[in-house]
Amino acid sequence: MPHPLADDSAGAITDVPGIEVGHHTDPRRPTGCSVVIARQGAVAGVDVRGAAPGTRETDLLAPGNLVNEVHAVLLAGGSAFGLDAASGAVRWLEDNGVGLELGMARLPLVPAAVLFDLAVGDARIRPAAAAGHAACAAAGTQPPAEGNVGAGAGAVVGKMFGMEHAMKGGIGSASVRVAGVTVGALVACNAVGDVVDPENGRPLAGARTPDGRALRDTRRALLAGEVPHPLLAGSNTTIGVIATDARLTKVQAQRLAVAGHDGLARSINPVHTMSDGDTLFTLATGRAAQHPGMMVLATMAAEAVARATVRAVLAARGLALPDGLQLPAHADLHPPI
């Protein structure tokens, strides 16, 4: 039977008023980037949990620092090279009149985070400024494409026992609405661990058995004494954006990003490892008249992140590369009945 989140009922981050999403995908490798735009500005926060992050302009989101609002968040493949894509997003936003008015110029503020996908195809191909510009030009309020697109194009999950046993990751989105307030998430999942069903902990995609036909269950395998494959530092990461139409302070936005990592912990096992750079941003547009309180919002954020992470692997499609690397997707190991 299909997973309950396999259809469009999960919603999307663009259900949040004032939020747009655009992808750019480079099919040559594949790799790409994704942008979440708040044209009118959004109160922002960030929480970095992984030990190997690749980020840009996260310091300005600290609650004690001056800047209160940003205009977009960019997620990209390409490891540190992919941070260059944010420059293209800044240029597009400036050209379209979006940014902080300084008098002599309008300055778009675009924090960014990257994931490591250089092991998938030709590492010389990675998102640059033109890719960030193209992602912005493609942005809209419709539900974004999921799976092998944008920042999820080259994402892989379940690498604990080597790439030859891994599976295709991707990018996914979901939303939750309670008491007139919406919280949505966009997550690009490139985790070293397995993606698991938050309801029962069963693996959905991740490290496969030696014959490649079933899931190994990384948690159980490690606890049983199986030795993990040597991992290149920083070669994994799950990155994402939480958005809400609730009115938040900068401190509350940062706390919502913290709570979002609970969703990663429910849907990825293991998570926040020394080889992951897990980073979540928050954008609060403040368009909702209601505020259900931070306890409810935090619960909604964790739920949206967990659902979006599951969507990332359910929407992914298998990949076969010229060098012989085969990355099946969830649908390949769990065909519809």
Side-chain angles (χ1 to χ4, degrees), residues 88-129:
V90 169
R91 180 165 57 85
W92 187 92
L93 291 168
E94 180 190 23
D95 291 345
N96 286 270
V98 178
L100 178 64
E101 181 53 61
L102 301 176
M104 74 294 295
R106 188 175 288 274
L107 177 63
L109 298 173
V110 185
V114 293
L115 55 79
F116 185 101
D117 60 5
L118 300 179
V120 180
D122 187 347
R124 295 170 297 179
I125 300 170
R126 53 255 186 165

Tab-separated table of all heavy atoms in Angstrom, residues 88-129:
chain	number	residue	atom	x	y	z
A	88	GLY	N	23.597	34.954	-6.926
A	88	GLY	CA	22.652	35.114	-8.021
A	88	GLY	C	21.260	35.444	-7.524
A	88	GLY	O	20.527	36.222	-8.149
A	89	ALA	N	20.875	34.838	-6.379
A	89	ALA	CA	19.575	35.158	-5.791
A	89	ALA	C	19.529	36.609	-5.346
A	89	ALA	O	18.528	37.310	-5.543
A	89	ALA	CB	19.296	34.222	-4.617
A	90	VAL	N	20.607	37.090	-4.750
A	90	VAL	CA	20.675	38.493	-4.328
A	90	VAL	C	20.501	39.417	-5.532
A	90	VAL	O	19.761	40.408	-5.471
A	90	VAL	CB	22.008	38.773	-3.614
A	90	VAL	CG1	22.220	40.267	-3.406
A	90	VAL	CG2	22.057	38.039	-2.272
A	91	ARG	N	21.168	39.081	-6.622
A	91	ARG	CA	21.074	39.938	-7.818
A	91	ARG	C	19.660	39.963	-8.378
A	91	ARG	O	19.136	41.016	-8.749
A	91	ARG	CB	22.068	39.444	-8.884
A	91	ARG	CG	22.044	40.267	-10.176
A	91	ARG	CD	23.272	39.974	-11.010
A	91	ARG	NE	23.419	38.564	-11.344
A	91	ARG	CZ	22.827	37.978	-12.386
A	91	ARG	NH1	22.015	38.678	-13.175
A	91	ARG	NH2	23.031	36.703	-12.642
A	92	TRP	N	18.999	38.795	-8.423
A	92	TRP	CA	17.627	38.755	-8.948
A	92	TRP	C	16.685	39.566	-8.061
A	92	TRP	O	15.846	40.314	-8.560
A	92	TRP	CB	17.142	37.311	-9.040
A	92	TRP	CG	15.817	37.181	-9.726
A	92	TRP	CD1	15.591	36.957	-11.063
A	92	TRP	CD2	14.516	37.287	-9.107
A	92	TRP	NE1	14.250	36.916	-11.316
A	92	TRP	CE2	13.556	37.113	-10.146
A	92	TRP	CE3	14.079	37.495	-7.813
A	92	TRP	CZ2	12.183	37.150	-9.906
A	92	TRP	CZ3	12.711	37.537	-7.566
A	92	TRP	CH2	11.775	37.366	-8.601
A	93	LEU	N	16.812	39.414	-6.770
A	93	LEU	CA	15.940	40.145	-5.857
A	93	LEU	C	16.154	41.656	-5.984
A	93	LEU	O	15.197	42.432	-5.995
A	93	LEU	CB	16.189	39.686	-4.417
A	93	LEU	CG	15.738	38.251	-4.099
A	93	LEU	CD1	16.297	37.808	-2.761
A	93	LEU	CD2	14.220	38.134	-4.106
A	94	GLU	N	17.411	42.071	-6.084
A	94	GLU	CA	17.688	43.499	-6.262
A	94	GLU	C	17.063	44.012	-7.556
A	94	GLU	O	16.425	45.077	-7.581
A	94	GLU	CB	19.191	43.747	-6.289
A	94	GLU	CG	19.547	45.222	-6.473
A	94	GLU	CD	21.026	45.441	-6.735
A	94	GLU	OE1	21.701	44.499	-7.193
A	94	GLU	OE2	21.496	46.568	-6.521
A	95	ASP	N	17.216	43.248	-8.634
A	95	ASP	CA	16.659	43.658	-9.932
A	95	ASP	C	15.140	43.747	-9.889
A	95	ASP	O	14.533	44.474	-10.697
A	95	ASP	CB	17.086	42.675	-11.029
A	95	ASP	CG	18.572	42.748	-11.350
A	95	ASP	OD1	19.214	43.731	-10.937
A	95	ASP	OD2	19.084	41.809	-11.983
A	96	ASN	N	14.518	43.017	-8.967
A	96	ASN	CA	13.065	43.006	-8.872
A	96	ASN	C	12.532	43.812	-7.689
A	96	ASN	O	11.382	43.642	-7.269
A	96	ASN	CB	12.560	41.564	-8.818
A	96	ASN	CG	12.641	40.877	-10.166
A	96	ASN	OD1	11.701	40.923	-10.952
A	96	ASN	ND2	13.775	40.247	-10.443
A	97	GLY	N	13.375	44.693	-7.159
A	97	GLY	CA	12.935	45.635	-6.142
A	97	GLY	C	12.703	45.048	-4.772
A	97	GLY	O	11.953	45.618	-3.973
A	98	VAL	N	13.341	43.921	-4.476
A	98	VAL	CA	13.177	43.267	-3.180
A	98	VAL	C	14.445	43.457	-2.360
A	98	VAL	O	15.547	43.192	-2.844
A	98	VAL	CB	12.883	41.767	-3.339
A	98	VAL	CG1	12.754	41.096	-1.984
A	98	VAL	CG2	11.620	41.558	-4.168
A	99	GLY	N	14.292	43.924	-1.110
A	99	GLY	CA	15.454	44.072	-0.255
A	99	GLY	C	15.273	45.160	0.775
A	99	GLY	O	14.243	45.849	0.823
A	100	LEU	N	16.286	45.312	1.600
A	100	LEU	CA	16.300	46.323	2.648
A	100	LEU	C	16.647	47.677	2.036
A	100	LEU	O	17.708	47.830	1.416
A	100	LEU	CB	17.334	45.942	3.708
A	100	LEU	CG	17.548	46.905	4.877
A	100	LEU	CD1	16.287	47.011	5.723
A	100	LEU	CD2	18.732	46.449	5.726
A	101	GLU	N	15.763	48.648	2.202
A	101	GLU	CA	15.981	49.965	1.612
A	101	GLU	C	17.029	50.732	2.421
A	101	GLU	O	16.849	51.003	3.608
A	101	GLU	CB	14.668	50.759	1.579
A	101	GLU	CG	14.803	52.129	0.959
A	101	GLU	CD	15.432	52.098	-0.425
A	101	GLU	OE1	14.845	51.471	-1.330
A	101	GLU	OE2	16.534	52.688	-0.600
A	102	LEU	N	18.145	51.075	1.765
A	102	LEU	CA	19.244	51.766	2.420
A	102	LEU	C	19.345	53.232	2.010
A	102	LEU	O	20.182	53.961	2.531
A	102	LEU	CB	20.570	51.072	2.101
A	102	LEU	CG	20.684	49.601	2.502
A	102	LEU	CD1	22.009	49.038	2.020
A	102	LEU	CD2	20.539	49.426	4.000
A	103	GLY	N	18.517	53.644	1.058
A	103	GLY	CA	18.619	54.990	0.528
A	103	GLY	C	19.423	55.005	-0.749
A	103	GLY	O	18.913	55.335	-1.828
A	104	MET	N	20.688	54.628	-0.657
A	104	MET	CA	21.545	54.601	-1.848
A	104	MET	C	21.426	53.288	-2.621
A	104	MET	O	21.858	53.180	-3.761
A	104	MET	CB	23.004	54.847	-1.456
A	104	MET	CG	23.716	53.702	-0.760
A	104	MET	SD	23.082	53.269	0.882
A	104	MET	CE	23.473	54.769	1.783
A	105	ALA	N	20.799	52.283	-2.033
A	105	ALA	CA	20.640	50.982	-2.684
A	105	ALA	C	19.598	50.175	-1.922
A	105	ALA	O	19.229	50.499	-0.791
A	105	ALA	CB	21.963	50.227	-2.728
A	106	ARG	N	19.114	49.122	-2.557
A	106	ARG	CA	18.223	48.164	-1.907
A	106	ARG	C	19.005	46.860	-1.755
A	106	ARG	O	19.491	46.296	-2.740
A	106	ARG	CB	16.960	47.946	-2.743
A	106	ARG	CG	15.899	47.102	-2.044
A	106	ARG	CD	14.624	47.014	-2.873
A	106	ARG	NE	13.902	48.272	-2.880
A	106	ARG	CZ	13.032	48.642	-1.956
A	106	ARG	NH1	12.781	47.848	-0.938
A	106	ARG	NH2	12.402	49.796	-2.053
A	107	LEU	N	19.135	46.386	-0.513
A	107	LEU	CA	20.002	45.247	-0.216
A	107	LEU	C	19.188	44.019	0.149
A	107	LEU	O	18.621	43.933	1.241
A	107	LEU	CB	20.939	45.600	0.950
A	107	LEU	CG	21.866	44.488	1.440
A	107	LEU	CD1	22.834	44.065	0.348
A	107	LEU	CD2	22.613	44.939	2.687
A	108	PRO	N	19.113	43.003	-0.725
A	108	PRO	CA	18.439	41.748	-0.373
A	108	PRO	C	19.305	40.942	0.592
A	108	PRO	O	20.521	40.827	0.411
A	108	PRO	CB	18.317	41.029	-1.724
A	108	PRO	CG	18.579	42.079	-2.760
A	108	PRO	CD	19.532	43.038	-2.125
A	109	LEU	N	18.686	40.402	1.611
A	109	LEU	CA	19.391	39.573	2.581
A	109	LEU	C	18.987	38.123	2.361
A	109	LEU	O	17.809	37.770	2.477
A	109	LEU	CB	19.044	40.016	3.998
A	109	LEU	CG	19.468	41.462	4.321
A	109	LEU	CD1	18.935	41.894	5.674
A	109	LEU	CD2	20.972	41.608	4.266
A	110	VAL	N	19.971	37.280	2.025
A	110	VAL	CA	19.704	35.894	1.614
A	110	VAL	C	20.656	34.936	2.321
A	110	VAL	O	21.725	34.607	1.809
A	110	VAL	CB	19.840	35.736	0.082
A	110	VAL	CG1	19.444	34.310	-0.330
A	110	VAL	CG2	18.997	36.759	-0.659
A	111	PRO	N	20.310	34.482	3.521
A	111	PRO	CA	21.097	33.405	4.135
A	111	PRO	C	21.007	32.138	3.286
A	111	PRO	O	20.055	31.950	2.515
A	111	PRO	CB	20.425	33.218	5.498
A	111	PRO	CG	19.657	34.472	5.734
A	111	PRO	CD	19.220	34.937	4.377
A	112	ALA	N	21.983	31.260	3.449
A	112	ALA	CA	22.024	30.057	2.612
A	112	ALA	C	22.661	28.900	3.370
A	112	ALA	O	23.424	29.098	4.319
A	112	ALA	CB	22.800	30.335	1.333
A	113	ALA	N	22.338	27.698	2.923
A	113	ALA	CA	22.981	26.479	3.428
A	113	ALA	C	23.140	25.510	2.269
A	113	ALA	O	22.345	25.517	1.316
A	113	ALA	CB	22.160	25.844	4.552
A	114	VAL	N	24.172	24.678	2.344
A	114	VAL	CA	24.466	23.750	1.258
A	114	VAL	C	24.570	22.326	1.779
A	114	VAL	O	24.814	22.090	2.973
A	114	VAL	CB	25.782	24.118	0.535
A	114	VAL	CG1	25.622	25.432	-0.202
A	114	VAL	CG2	26.948	24.194	1.510
A	115	LEU	N	24.387	21.389	0.876
A	115	LEU	CA	24.613	19.977	1.168
A	115	LEU	C	25.672	19.435	0.212
A	115	LEU	O	25.926	20.010	-0.850
A	115	LEU	CB	23.315	19.180	1.085
A	115	LEU	CG	22.470	19.227	-0.190
A	115	LEU	CD1	23.028	18.333	-1.288
A	115	LEU	CD2	21.040	18.842	0.107
A	116	PHE	N	26.285	18.339	0.603
A	116	PHE	CA	27.376	17.738	-0.163
A	116	PHE	C	26.807	16.701	-1.126
A	116	PHE	O	26.307	15.659	-0.691
A	116	PHE	CB	28.381	17.085	0.784
A	116	PHE	CG	29.612	16.536	0.116
A	116	PHE	CD1	30.809	17.244	0.147
A	116	PHE	CD2	29.596	15.306	-0.524
A	116	PHE	CE1	31.955	16.743	-0.451
A	116	PHE	CE2	30.727	14.784	-1.127
A	116	PHE	CZ	31.915	15.506	-1.091
A	117	ASP	N	26.868	16.996	-2.423
A	117	ASP	CA	26.434	16.023	-3.427
A	117	ASP	C	27.517	15.796	-4.488
A	117	ASP	O	27.231	15.306	-5.580
A	117	ASP	CB	25.120	16.468	-4.092
A	117	ASP	CG	25.236	17.812	-4.800
A	117	ASP	OD1	26.350	18.375	-4.862
A	117	ASP	OD2	24.211	18.302	-5.313
A	118	LEU	N	28.767	16.144	-4.160
A	118	LEU	CA	29.856	16.083	-5.135
A	118	LEU	C	30.220	14.664	-5.537
A	118	LEU	O	30.881	14.465	-6.562
A	118	LEU	CB	31.094	16.794	-4.583
A	118	LEU	CG	30.932	18.281	-4.253
A	118	LEU	CD1	32.231	18.841	-3.692
A	118	LEU	CD2	30.504	19.068	-5.481
A	119	ALA	N	29.797	13.670	-4.761
A	119	ALA	CA	30.110	12.278	-5.099
A	119	ALA	C	29.155	11.700	-6.129
A	119	ALA	O	29.333	10.568	-6.579
A	119	ALA	CB	30.075	11.419	-3.835
A	120	VAL	N	28.132	12.468	-6.504
A	120	VAL	CA	27.152	12.010	-7.490
A	120	VAL	C	27.467	12.682	-8.827
A	120	VAL	O	27.144	13.849	-9.054
A	120	VAL	CB	25.716	12.351	-7.044
A	120	VAL	CG1	24.698	11.876	-8.077
A	120	VAL	CG2	25.425	11.720	-5.695
A	121	GLY	N	28.156	11.959	-9.715
A	121	GLY	CA	28.497	12.512	-11.017
A	121	GLY	C	29.749	13.367	-10.976
A	121	GLY	O	30.590	13.244	-10.085
A	122	ASP	N	29.874	14.270	-11.948
A	122	ASP	CA	31.055	15.099	-12.144
A	122	ASP	C	31.074	16.234	-11.126
A	122	ASP	O	30.290	17.183	-11.220
A	122	ASP	CB	31.040	15.661	-13.570
A	122	ASP	CG	32.318	16.397	-13.932
A	122	ASP	OD1	33.120	16.703	-13.022
A	122	ASP	OD2	32.509	16.698	-15.123
A	123	ALA	N	32.002	16.171	-10.168
A	123	ALA	CA	32.059	17.163	-9.096
A	123	ALA	C	32.418	18.554	-9.592
A	123	ALA	O	32.252	19.533	-8.850
A	123	ALA	CB	33.061	16.718	-8.034
A	124	ARG	N	32.886	18.663	-10.836
A	124	ARG	CA	33.208	19.996	-11.368
A	124	ARG	C	31.955	20.781	-11.739
A	124	ARG	O	32.013	21.984	-11.988
A	124	ARG	CB	34.109	19.861	-12.591
A	124	ARG	CG	35.482	19.267	-12.280
A	124	ARG	CD	36.233	18.922	-13.533
A	124	ARG	NE	35.535	17.876	-14.311
A	124	ARG	CZ	35.976	17.401	-15.474
A	124	ARG	NH1	37.099	17.879	-16.003
A	124	ARG	NH2	35.304	16.450	-16.100
A	125	ILE	N	30.811	20.104	-11.768
A	125	ILE	CA	29.538	20.763	-12.060
A	125	ILE	C	28.833	21.030	-10.742
A	125	ILE	O	28.506	20.100	-10.003
A	125	ILE	CB	28.661	19.872	-12.960
A	125	ILE	CG1	29.366	19.578	-14.279
A	125	ILE	CG2	27.299	20.519	-13.204
A	125	ILE	CD1	28.685	18.522	-15.120
A	126	ARG	N	28.594	22.296	-10.430
A	126	ARG	CA	27.915	22.655	-9.182
A	126	ARG	C	27.168	23.969	-9.360
A	126	ARG	O	27.465	24.744	-10.267
A	126	ARG	CB	28.891	22.754	-8.011
A	126	ARG	CG	30.072	23.673	-8.255
A	126	ARG	CD	31.326	22.893	-8.522
A	126	ARG	NE	32.483	23.764	-8.617
A	126	ARG	CZ	33.750	23.349	-8.559
A	126	ARG	NH1	34.015	22.070	-8.384
A	126	ARG	NH2	34.739	24.188	-8.649
A	127	PRO	N	26.189	24.240	-8.494
A	127	PRO	CA	25.399	25.450	-8.644
A	127	PRO	C	26.261	26.702	-8.453
A	127	PRO	O	27.041	26.805	-7.503
A	127	PRO	CB	24.361	25.350	-7.517
A	127	PRO	CG	24.329	23.907	-7.158
A	127	PRO	CD	25.717	23.393	-7.388
A	128	ALA	N	26.125	27.664	-9.373
A	128	ALA	CA	26.815	28.939	-9.284
A	128	ALA	C	25.770	30.051	-9.239
A	128	ALA	O	24.568	29.796	-9.103
A	128	ALA	CB	27.767	29.111	-10.461
A	129	ALA	N	26.239	31.292	-9.370
A	129	ALA	CA	25.329	32.437	-9.258
A	129	ALA	C	24.176	32.349	-10.247
A	129	ALA	O	23.036	32.698	-9.921
A	129	ALA	CB	26.103	33.734	-9.432
